[in-house]
Amino acid sequence: MREFLSGEAAGGLVLMAAAALGLALANSAAAPHYFELLHRYVGPLSLQHWINDGLMAVFFLLVGLEVKRELIDGQLSTWSRRVLPGLAALGGMVAPALIYIAFTWNSEAVRGWATPAATDIAFTLGVLALLGRRVPVSLKIFVTALAIIDDLGAVLIIAIFYSSGLAMGWLAAAGAVLGGMVLLNRLRVMRLWPYLVGAALLWVCVLQSGVHATLAGVAAAFTIPLTRSPARPDAEGSPLHRLEHGLHPWVAFLVVPVFGLANAGVSLGGLSLGALATPVTLGVAAGLFIGKQIGVFGLTWLGVRLRWADCPEDASWQHVYGVCILCGIGFTMSLFIGLLAFPADPVLQDQVKIGVLAGSLASAVVGVLVLLLAPSCQRARSGGTGPARAPSAVGASAAE
């Protein structure tokens, strides 16, 4: 977990730099070359489509691997461990969506309702890394579990609401490939290369089917065998652990930063107060900054109050509130869903980008200030917030 958090935090810092570079390029003399390069075709797709549909499929493959590992053999392996981050994730998806809908009601822009619903784990852990020991480790684990659950929710939203024009032949082919990968798992094939070949074929079929191609990554991930490793970081012979460790640095330091560089670029030239006050921009920004606070903190407090779960260990409510504000950093997934919601409308895409940048920046700044003013972890411990008591992991090694 320490290695994972360290990698995510470092990746978040690189993502911040890449996003800032994309924004700078879009507002510099190099802007025409920047936008022309993104729209240049390489084979059947533009460079931006290769990034958003191809590279991001690798990102979703890693998300799927993390979700499966956590559900079977990690922080989400029992219902008692899922309650608090599950409640927080639910509130953090519903409240921002409702706020966005309130701003865009009775307009076509309401289609982007899911844009502020997901937390960017890399960005959030990157900010927490800057705070060091001022944030209890239990809260970092809580945020990681929360983000994994709402990433899974975002995947379901993309599959259900942002797929159209289905080609049934290609969809059947995708089902056949996925069935073959499941069969490999059932036959306990522990080599990785057959699954990787299957994942590539699945991506092509899903791309042609009308379902968003990135979902192939998640589907493929759930077929990769996992060997349980109770009380240990991982199992050396586990295909899922090997693939997750192999992909993590590439996703953290290449895939997600390239996505940020390609999609954070929005021209601010001639930007007026009217442009900042559009329903889409306000809905996204308010959804991230206000909705996340209400939803994540509200259901977290309710879960502890009703004794469904314990407050994270060594954390005061001020710590918890500060981290809930940071959950409003929705950069990567928010941009991604926003692009899916308005694929043919660059004006609305730019409004989404401005809203995502504004809401994420406000959440980062205010969240950091709240955590800087919070008592130290030692004082929080003496305050008796009630440590979280997670059940021990029990189970034998088995391919899942």
Side-chain angles (χ1 to χ4, degrees), residues 187-203:
L187 294 174
R188 297 185 180 275
V189 175
M190 303 299 280
R191 293 179 179 271
L192 264 176
W193 70 265
Y195 296 98
L196 296 179
V197 171
L201 292 174
L202 183 63
W203 180 82

Side-chain angles (χ1 to χ4, degrees), residues 157-242:
I157 288 171
I158 292 169
I160 297 170
F161 297 100
Y162 296 113
S163 297
S164 59
L166 299 182
M168 300 310 295
W170 282 106
L171 200 58
V177 173
L178 187 61
M181 297 176 70
V182 171
L183 181 61
L184 290 174
N185 182 293
R186 294 300 183 188
L187 294 174
R188 297 185 180 275
V189 175
M190 303 299 280
R191 293 179 179 271
L192 264 176
W193 70 265
Y195 296 98
L196 296 179
V197 171
L201 292 174
L202 183 63
W203 180 82
V204 173
C205 294
V206 173
L207 177 67
Q208 299 294 332
S209 72
V211 177
H212 201 272
T214 51
L215 299 180
V218 178
F222 276 82
T223 69
I224 308 296
L226 167 66
T227 303
R228 295 188 182 186
S229 55
R232 291 182 288 126
D234 52 36
E236 292 182 4
S238 171
L240 187 144
H241 287 113
R242 296 203 311 272

Side-chain angles (χ1 to χ4, degrees), residues 293-327:
Q293 292 184 52
I294 295 173
V296 177
F297 184 77
L299 286 194
T300 299
W301 179 86
L302 184 64
V304 174
R305 185 76 173 177
L306 295 177
R307 300 184 183 276
W308 292 347
D310 294 319
C311 187
E313 186 177 0
D314 297 338
S316 68
W317 279 114
Q318 190 171 345
H319 285 117
V320 175
Y321 181 56
V323 167
C324 291
I325 297 174
L326 290 181
C327 287

